[in-house]
Amino acid sequence: MVYFGMILSHVILGLLAVAPMTGYDLKKRFDTSVNHFWSADKAQIYRTLSRLVTDGLAEVKIVRQIGLPDRQEHHITEAGRATLGEWLVSAPDAHRERDPFLARIFFSGTLQRSEILALTAQRRMTAESLLNELLAQLAPGEGAPQTRAEYMRFATLRNGISHVRAELEWLDEVEKDLP
């Protein structure tokens, strides 16, 4: 049976399938591996983890540490693996982009040219920052991915890089052709 929770649940199950993690570890992993296609704040991650545990898709194991607080590591269960597997092979969800910046651009025809250029300049700074973050994740010196799982994670990173580069090219066009 496919778990019809938020996609965030499936993303977290996928990350837990890679390795057991605390909520803190998951937030760090979000910020350094999947943020180019899915984001979540700390509260969303912890709420979803709690629901996954309640639903039996993940479990918490206490890891004792000397001189430090115990770690609450979340592990994917067999039911969680089955749910993740069913989601992975199910038909892709219809996806519609919701982008507040594009909504602003769509309606910005009443603004002065300088105001529109200020909007695109802000977006450019954000995009360039994201591109730098994604390029840093390429981890120079690690070589080519060794497993199919590594390759697929690398492929999504390349997709994110391509999307940001395409946006930067589009911003160039808008700025150049703006009447």
Side-chain angles (χ1 to χ4, degrees), residues 19-117:
M21 291 179 235
T22 65
Y24 176 79
D25 296 333
L26 274 165
K27 177 58 178 150
K28 281 185 4 187
R29 186 64 63 99
F30 262 88
D31 293 345
T32 61
S33 68
V34 300
N35 68 336
H36 57 282
F37 63 87
W38 205 265
S39 64
D41 63 35
K42 191 168 89 172
Q44 291 172 308
I45 291 170
Y46 280 92
R47 263 193 319 271
T48 303
L49 275 173
S50 178
R51 192 174 68 246
L52 291 172
V53 170
T54 299
D55 293 348
L57 302 176
E59 62 187 6
V60 178
K61 293 186 179 177
I62 304 299
V63 178
R64 305 271 181 231
Q65 300 185 107
I66 298 172
L68 295 170
D70 294 341
R71 286 174 48 92
Q72 293 186 15
E73 272 188 356
H74 293 79
H75 294 249
I76 190 170
T77 63
E78 286 307 313
R81 286 186 194 285
T83 297
L84 177 62
E86 290 173 18
W87 177 68
L88 290 172
V89 298
S90 67
D93 301 326
H95 174 70
R96 293 281 187 214
E97 192 71 31
R98 295 172 64 176
D99 189 330
F101 170 74
L102 288 180
R104 286 180 181 184
I105 292 297
F106 186 86
F107 294 110
S108 68
T110 59
L111 297 178
Q112 297 296 313
R113 185 176 195 280
S114 62
E115 293 171 312
I116 295 170
L117 289 174

Side-chain angles (χ1 to χ4, degrees), residues 115-163:
E115 293 171 312
I116 295 170
L117 289 174
L119 279 175
T120 60
Q122 290 171 349
R123 181 65 168 222
R124 178 179 300 284
M125 286 176 30
T126 301
E128 288 171 345
S129 177
L130 177 58
L131 181 59
N132 289 333
E133 289 175 25
L134 296 177
L135 290 172
Q137 290 179 35
L138 287 175
E142 283 192 20
Q146 300 298 309
T147 66
R148 182 178 298 125
E150 288 174 359
Y151 174 79
M152 297 313 296
R153 289 191 293 269
F154 182 70
T156 63
L157 177 59
R158 287 192 339 257
N159 176 275
I161 291 168
S162 295
H163 279 267

